[in-house]
Short mmCIF file of all heavy atoms in Angstrom, two decimals:
data_model
loop_
_atom_site.label_atom_id
_atom_site.label_comp_id
_atom_site.label_asym_id
_atom_site.label_seq_id
_atom_site.Cartn_x
_atom_site.Cartn_y
_atom_site.Cartn_z
N LYS A 20 167.96 131.21 192.66
CA LYS A 20 168.84 132.31 193.08
C LYS A 20 168.14 133.67 193.07
O LYS A 20 168.80 134.70 193.14
CB LYS A 20 170.05 132.37 192.15
CG LYS A 20 170.92 131.15 192.24
CD LYS A 20 172.02 131.19 191.20
CE LYS A 20 172.79 129.88 191.18
NZ LYS A 20 173.66 129.79 190.01
N SER A 21 166.82 133.68 192.95
CA SER A 21 166.07 134.94 192.90
C SER A 21 164.79 134.80 193.70
O SER A 21 164.57 133.77 194.34
CB SER A 21 165.76 135.31 191.45
OG SER A 21 164.89 134.34 190.89
N ASP A 22 163.97 135.82 193.65
CA ASP A 22 162.71 135.83 194.37
C ASP A 22 161.54 135.89 193.38
O ASP A 22 160.60 136.66 193.55
CB ASP A 22 162.69 137.04 195.32
CG ASP A 22 161.58 136.94 196.36
OD1 ASP A 22 161.08 135.84 196.60
OD2 ASP A 22 161.21 138.00 196.90
N ILE A 23 161.63 135.11 192.31
CA ILE A 23 160.61 135.11 191.25
C ILE A 23 159.27 134.63 191.82
O ILE A 23 159.17 133.55 192.38
CB ILE A 23 161.02 134.21 190.06
CG1 ILE A 23 162.35 134.65 189.46
CG2 ILE A 23 159.90 134.14 189.01
CD1 ILE A 23 162.36 136.00 188.80
N THR A 24 158.24 135.48 191.63
CA THR A 24 156.90 135.10 192.06
C THR A 24 155.97 134.84 190.87
O THR A 24 154.91 134.25 191.05
CB THR A 24 156.27 136.20 192.95
OG1 THR A 24 156.24 137.43 192.22
CG2 THR A 24 157.05 136.37 194.24
N GLN A 25 156.38 135.29 189.67
CA GLN A 25 155.55 135.07 188.49
C GLN A 25 156.42 135.00 187.24
O GLN A 25 157.38 135.75 187.11
CB GLN A 25 154.51 136.18 188.32
CG GLN A 25 153.56 135.97 187.16
CD GLN A 25 152.76 134.69 187.27
OE1 GLN A 25 152.07 134.47 188.27
NE2 GLN A 25 152.84 133.82 186.27
N ILE A 26 156.04 134.10 186.36
CA ILE A 26 156.70 133.96 185.06
C ILE A 26 155.72 134.43 183.99
O ILE A 26 154.53 134.10 184.03
CB ILE A 26 157.12 132.50 184.80
CG1 ILE A 26 158.16 132.07 185.84
CG2 ILE A 26 157.65 132.32 183.38
CD1 ILE A 26 158.49 130.59 185.83
N PHE A 27 156.24 135.22 183.05
CA PHE A 27 155.48 135.69 181.90
C PHE A 27 156.16 135.17 180.65
O PHE A 27 157.39 135.12 180.59
CB PHE A 27 155.43 137.21 181.84
CG PHE A 27 154.69 137.84 182.98
CD1 PHE A 27 155.36 138.22 184.13
CD2 PHE A 27 153.32 138.04 182.91
CE1 PHE A 27 154.69 138.80 185.19
CE2 PHE A 27 152.64 138.62 183.97
CZ PHE A 27 153.32 139.00 185.12
N THR A 28 155.38 134.85 179.64
CA THR A 28 155.94 134.48 178.35
C THR A 28 155.57 135.56 177.34
O THR A 28 154.46 136.09 177.36
CB THR A 28 155.42 133.10 177.88
OG1 THR A 28 153.99 133.08 177.94
CG2 THR A 28 156.00 131.98 178.75
N ASN A 29 156.53 135.88 176.48
CA ASN A 29 156.34 136.91 175.47
C ASN A 29 155.90 136.23 174.17
O ASN A 29 156.71 135.86 173.34
CB ASN A 29 157.63 137.70 175.26
CG ASN A 29 157.46 138.88 174.33
OD1 ASN A 29 156.40 139.08 173.74
ND2 ASN A 29 158.52 139.64 174.16
N GLY A 30 154.60 136.02 174.05
CA GLY A 30 154.05 135.43 172.84
C GLY A 30 153.64 133.98 172.99
O GLY A 30 154.05 133.28 173.92
N LYS A 31 152.84 133.53 172.04
CA LYS A 31 152.26 132.18 172.09
C LYS A 31 153.31 131.08 171.94
O LYS A 31 153.21 130.04 172.58
CB LYS A 31 151.18 132.04 171.02
CG LYS A 31 149.95 132.85 171.33
CD LYS A 31 148.90 132.72 170.24
CE LYS A 31 147.73 133.63 170.55
NZ LYS A 31 146.78 133.70 169.45
N LYS A 32 154.30 131.29 171.07
CA LYS A 32 155.31 130.25 170.88
C LYS A 32 156.12 130.06 172.16
O LYS A 32 156.38 128.92 172.58
CB LYS A 32 156.23 130.58 169.70
CG LYS A 32 157.19 129.46 169.36
CD LYS A 32 156.46 128.21 168.90
CE LYS A 32 157.41 127.15 168.36
NZ LYS A 32 156.70 126.02 167.76
N ALA A 33 156.53 131.15 172.80
CA ALA A 33 157.26 131.04 174.06
C ALA A 33 156.40 130.34 175.10
O ALA A 33 156.90 129.50 175.87
CB ALA A 33 157.68 132.42 174.54
N ASP A 34 155.11 130.65 175.13
CA ASP A 34 154.22 130.02 176.10
C ASP A 34 154.07 128.53 175.84
O ASP A 34 154.13 127.71 176.76
CB ASP A 34 152.85 130.71 176.08
CG ASP A 34 152.01 130.34 177.28
OD1 ASP A 34 152.44 130.64 178.41
OD2 ASP A 34 150.94 129.73 177.09
N GLU A 35 153.88 128.18 174.58
CA GLU A 35 153.76 126.77 174.20
C GLU A 35 155.02 125.99 174.61
O GLU A 35 154.94 124.90 175.19
CB GLU A 35 153.55 126.69 172.68
CG GLU A 35 153.63 125.31 172.08
CD GLU A 35 153.70 125.40 170.55
OE1 GLU A 35 152.92 126.16 169.96
OE2 GLU A 35 154.56 124.71 169.98
N LEU A 36 156.18 126.56 174.32
CA LEU A 36 157.44 125.90 174.65
C LEU A 36 157.66 125.84 176.17
O LEU A 36 158.16 124.84 176.69
CB LEU A 36 158.61 126.63 173.97
CG LEU A 36 158.63 126.54 172.44
CD1 LEU A 36 159.59 127.57 171.86
CD2 LEU A 36 158.97 125.13 171.98
N TYR A 37 157.27 126.90 176.87
CA TYR A 37 157.38 126.90 178.33
C TYR A 37 156.54 125.77 178.91
O TYR A 37 157.00 125.01 179.76
CB TYR A 37 156.95 128.24 178.93
CG TYR A 37 156.96 128.20 180.44
CD1 TYR A 37 158.15 128.35 181.15
CD2 TYR A 37 155.79 127.94 181.16
CE1 TYR A 37 158.18 128.26 182.53
CE2 TYR A 37 155.81 127.85 182.54
CZ TYR A 37 157.00 128.00 183.22
OH TYR A 37 157.03 127.89 184.60
N GLN A 38 155.28 125.67 178.48
CA GLN A 38 154.39 124.63 178.99
C GLN A 38 154.95 123.24 178.73
O GLN A 38 154.83 122.34 179.56
CB GLN A 38 153.00 124.77 178.37
CG GLN A 38 152.22 125.94 178.92
CD GLN A 38 150.85 126.04 178.27
OE1 GLN A 38 150.19 125.04 178.03
NE2 GLN A 38 150.42 127.26 177.99
N LYS A 39 155.55 123.07 177.58
CA LYS A 39 156.09 121.75 177.21
C LYS A 39 157.35 121.40 177.98
O LYS A 39 157.50 120.27 178.46
CB LYS A 39 156.39 121.73 175.70
CG LYS A 39 156.95 120.42 175.20
CD LYS A 39 157.14 120.44 173.70
CE LYS A 39 157.69 119.12 173.19
NZ LYS A 39 157.84 119.12 171.73
N TYR A 40 158.27 122.36 178.12
CA TYR A 40 159.59 122.05 178.66
C TYR A 40 159.83 122.48 180.11
O TYR A 40 160.46 121.76 180.87
CB TYR A 40 160.68 122.70 177.80
CG TYR A 40 160.78 122.12 176.42
CD1 TYR A 40 160.49 122.89 175.30
CD2 TYR A 40 161.16 120.79 176.21
CE1 TYR A 40 160.59 122.37 174.02
CE2 TYR A 40 161.25 120.26 174.95
CZ TYR A 40 160.97 121.05 173.85
OH TYR A 40 161.08 120.53 172.59
N GLN A 41 159.39 123.67 180.50
CA GLN A 41 159.75 124.17 181.81
C GLN A 41 158.69 123.98 182.89
O GLN A 41 159.03 123.71 184.04
CB GLN A 41 160.14 125.67 181.75
CG GLN A 41 161.58 125.87 181.43
CD GLN A 41 161.79 126.18 179.96
OE1 GLN A 41 160.87 126.06 179.16
NE2 GLN A 41 162.98 126.57 179.61
N GLU A 42 157.45 124.15 182.54
CA GLU A 42 156.41 124.05 183.56
C GLU A 42 156.43 122.73 184.32
O GLU A 42 156.29 122.74 185.55
CB GLU A 42 155.03 124.30 182.95
CG GLU A 42 153.94 124.43 184.00
CD GLU A 42 152.59 124.75 183.41
OE1 GLU A 42 152.49 125.68 182.59
OE2 GLU A 42 151.62 124.07 183.79
N PRO A 43 156.64 121.60 183.65
CA PRO A 43 156.71 120.34 184.42
C PRO A 43 157.85 120.33 185.46
O PRO A 43 157.70 119.75 186.53
CB PRO A 43 156.94 119.27 183.34
CG PRO A 43 156.38 119.88 182.09
CD PRO A 43 156.68 121.35 182.20
N ALA A 44 158.94 121.01 185.14
CA ALA A 44 160.08 121.04 186.06
C ALA A 44 159.92 122.07 187.17
O ALA A 44 160.38 121.87 188.29
CB ALA A 44 161.38 121.31 185.29
N THR A 45 159.25 123.19 186.87
CA THR A 45 159.13 124.28 187.84
C THR A 45 157.84 124.22 188.65
O THR A 45 157.80 124.72 189.76
CB THR A 45 159.17 125.65 187.15
OG1 THR A 45 158.00 125.80 186.34
CG2 THR A 45 160.44 125.83 186.32
N GLY A 46 156.79 123.67 188.05
CA GLY A 46 155.49 123.66 188.69
C GLY A 46 154.82 125.03 188.71
O GLY A 46 153.79 125.21 189.35
N MET A 47 155.41 126.01 188.01
CA MET A 47 154.86 127.36 187.98
C MET A 47 154.13 127.61 186.67
O MET A 47 154.68 127.37 185.60
CB MET A 47 155.97 128.41 188.13
CG MET A 47 156.62 128.42 189.48
SD MET A 47 157.92 129.69 189.59
CE MET A 47 156.92 131.19 189.67
N LYS A 48 152.90 128.09 186.77
CA LYS A 48 152.16 128.50 185.58
C LYS A 48 152.69 129.84 185.10
O LYS A 48 153.01 130.71 185.90
CB LYS A 48 150.67 128.64 185.90
CG LYS A 48 150.00 127.34 186.26
CD LYS A 48 149.42 126.70 185.05
CE LYS A 48 148.62 125.47 185.44
NZ LYS A 48 148.71 124.46 184.42
N ALA A 49 152.75 130.00 183.80
CA ALA A 49 153.16 131.28 183.22
C ALA A 49 151.93 132.02 182.71
O ALA A 49 150.91 131.41 182.36
CB ALA A 49 154.13 131.06 182.06
N ILE A 50 152.03 133.33 182.69
CA ILE A 50 151.00 134.16 182.07
C ILE A 50 151.51 134.54 180.69
O ILE A 50 152.60 135.10 180.55
CB ILE A 50 150.72 135.42 182.91
CG1 ILE A 50 150.13 135.05 184.27
CG2 ILE A 50 149.80 136.38 182.15
CD1 ILE A 50 149.99 136.21 185.24
N CYS A 51 150.73 134.21 179.67
CA CYS A 51 151.11 134.49 178.29
C CYS A 51 150.69 135.91 177.93
O CYS A 51 149.52 136.26 178.01
CB CYS A 51 150.47 133.49 177.34
SG CYS A 51 150.92 133.73 175.61
N LEU A 52 151.69 136.71 177.55
CA LEU A 52 151.45 138.07 177.09
C LEU A 52 151.54 138.12 175.57
O LEU A 52 152.27 137.32 174.97
CB LEU A 52 152.48 139.01 177.71
CG LEU A 52 152.43 139.12 179.23
CD1 LEU A 52 153.64 139.86 179.76
CD2 LEU A 52 151.15 139.80 179.67
N PRO A 53 150.83 139.04 174.93
CA PRO A 53 150.94 139.14 173.48
C PRO A 53 152.36 139.52 173.07
O PRO A 53 153.02 140.32 173.73
CB PRO A 53 149.94 140.24 173.11
CG PRO A 53 149.62 140.95 174.37
CD PRO A 53 149.91 140.03 175.50
N SER A 54 152.80 138.93 172.00
CA SER A 54 154.17 139.13 171.52
C SER A 54 154.45 140.57 171.15
O SER A 54 153.61 141.25 170.55
CB SER A 54 154.43 138.24 170.30
OG SER A 54 155.70 138.51 169.76
N THR A 55 155.66 141.02 171.50
CA THR A 55 156.10 142.37 171.14
C THR A 55 156.75 142.39 169.76
O THR A 55 157.18 143.44 169.29
CB THR A 55 157.09 142.92 172.18
OG1 THR A 55 158.21 142.04 172.27
CG2 THR A 55 156.42 143.08 173.54
N SER A 56 156.82 141.24 169.11
CA SER A 56 157.42 141.14 167.78
C SER A 56 156.69 142.02 166.77
O SER A 56 155.46 142.14 166.82
CB SER A 56 157.37 139.68 167.31
OG SER A 56 157.66 139.60 165.93
N PRO A 57 157.44 142.59 165.82
CA PRO A 57 156.76 143.36 164.77
C PRO A 57 155.84 142.49 163.91
O PRO A 57 154.93 143.01 163.27
CB PRO A 57 157.92 143.94 163.95
CG PRO A 57 159.12 143.14 164.30
CD PRO A 57 158.89 142.60 165.68
N ALA A 58 156.04 141.18 163.95
CA ALA A 58 155.16 140.27 163.20
C ALA A 58 153.75 140.23 163.80
O ALA A 58 152.80 139.83 163.13
CB ALA A 58 155.76 138.86 163.16
N ASN A 59 153.62 140.64 165.06
CA ASN A 59 152.32 140.66 165.73
C ASN A 59 151.64 142.01 165.46
O ASN A 59 151.43 142.82 166.36
CB ASN A 59 152.49 140.42 167.23
CG ASN A 59 151.16 140.32 167.96
OD1 ASN A 59 150.11 140.20 167.34
ND2 ASN A 59 151.23 140.38 169.27
N ALA A 60 151.27 142.23 164.20
CA ALA A 60 150.72 143.52 163.77
C ALA A 60 149.32 143.78 164.33
O ALA A 60 148.87 144.91 164.34
CB ALA A 60 150.69 143.58 162.24
N ALA A 61 148.64 142.74 164.80
CA ALA A 61 147.29 142.93 165.35
C ALA A 61 147.31 143.73 166.64
O ALA A 61 146.29 144.29 167.04
CB ALA A 61 146.64 141.57 165.59
N TRP A 62 148.45 143.79 167.29
CA TRP A 62 148.58 144.51 168.56
C TRP A 62 149.42 145.76 168.35
O TRP A 62 150.65 145.68 168.25
CB TRP A 62 149.22 143.61 169.62
CG TRP A 62 148.30 142.57 170.13
CD1 TRP A 62 147.94 141.42 169.50
CD2 TRP A 62 147.61 142.58 171.38
NE1 TRP A 62 147.06 140.70 170.29
CE2 TRP A 62 146.85 141.40 171.45
CE3 TRP A 62 147.56 143.47 172.44
CZ2 TRP A 62 146.05 141.09 172.54
CZ3 TRP A 62 146.77 143.16 173.54
CH2 TRP A 62 146.02 141.98 173.58
N HIS A 63 148.79 146.94 168.33
CA HIS A 63 149.54 148.18 168.22
C HIS A 63 150.17 148.49 169.59
O HIS A 63 149.82 147.90 170.62
CB HIS A 63 148.68 149.32 167.69
CG HIS A 63 147.46 149.61 168.52
ND1 HIS A 63 147.52 150.30 169.71
CD2 HIS A 63 146.17 149.27 168.33
CE1 HIS A 63 146.32 150.39 170.22
NE2 HIS A 63 145.47 149.77 169.41
N LEU A 64 151.11 149.42 169.61
CA LEU A 64 151.90 149.69 170.80
C LEU A 64 151.05 150.02 172.03
O LEU A 64 151.28 149.48 173.11
CB LEU A 64 152.91 150.82 170.52
CG LEU A 64 153.86 151.15 171.68
CD1 LEU A 64 154.71 149.97 172.07
CD2 LEU A 64 154.73 152.35 171.30
N ASP A 65 150.08 150.89 171.90
CA ASP A 65 149.25 151.27 173.06
C ASP A 65 148.50 150.08 173.62
O ASP A 65 148.39 149.92 174.84
CB ASP A 65 148.26 152.39 172.69
CG ASP A 65 148.95 153.73 172.46
OD1 ASP A 65 150.10 153.89 172.91
OD2 ASP A 65 148.34 154.59 171.81
N LYS A 66 147.98 149.25 172.74
CA LYS A 66 147.23 148.06 173.18
C LYS A 66 148.17 147.08 173.89
O LYS A 66 147.80 146.50 174.91
CB LYS A 66 146.57 147.41 171.95
CG LYS A 66 145.64 146.27 172.26
CD LYS A 66 144.98 145.77 170.97
CE LYS A 66 144.18 144.52 171.20
NZ LYS A 66 143.65 143.96 169.96
#
């Protein structure tokens, strides 16, 4: 129902789960982005 050309995952866990559950059904590769969670302290806001 949309014009999605790219899927992004917010963090490694989302990417892992996407690859396991959705990618086989969609056939679309996702680009994994670093998590915006405060638990991801290695990545400051600017980075």
Side-chain angles (χ1 to χ4, degrees):
K20 296 174 187 168
S21 65
D22 194 20
I23 302 294
T24 57
Q25 183 59 56
I26 297 171
F27 295 92
T28 52
N29 186 355
K31 290 178 184 172
K32 187 63 172 187
D34 194 62
E35 171 192 314
L36 293 166
Y37 175 81
Q38 287 180 39
K39 180 176 180 178
Y40 293 115
Q41 273 98 350
E42 189 177 311
T45 66
M47 292 180 74
K48 294 268 186 213
I50 295 173
C51 182
L52 297 169
S54 175
T55 59
S56 167
N59 185 12
W62 286 77
H63 58 77
L64 183 60
D65 289 341
K66 187 176 172 185

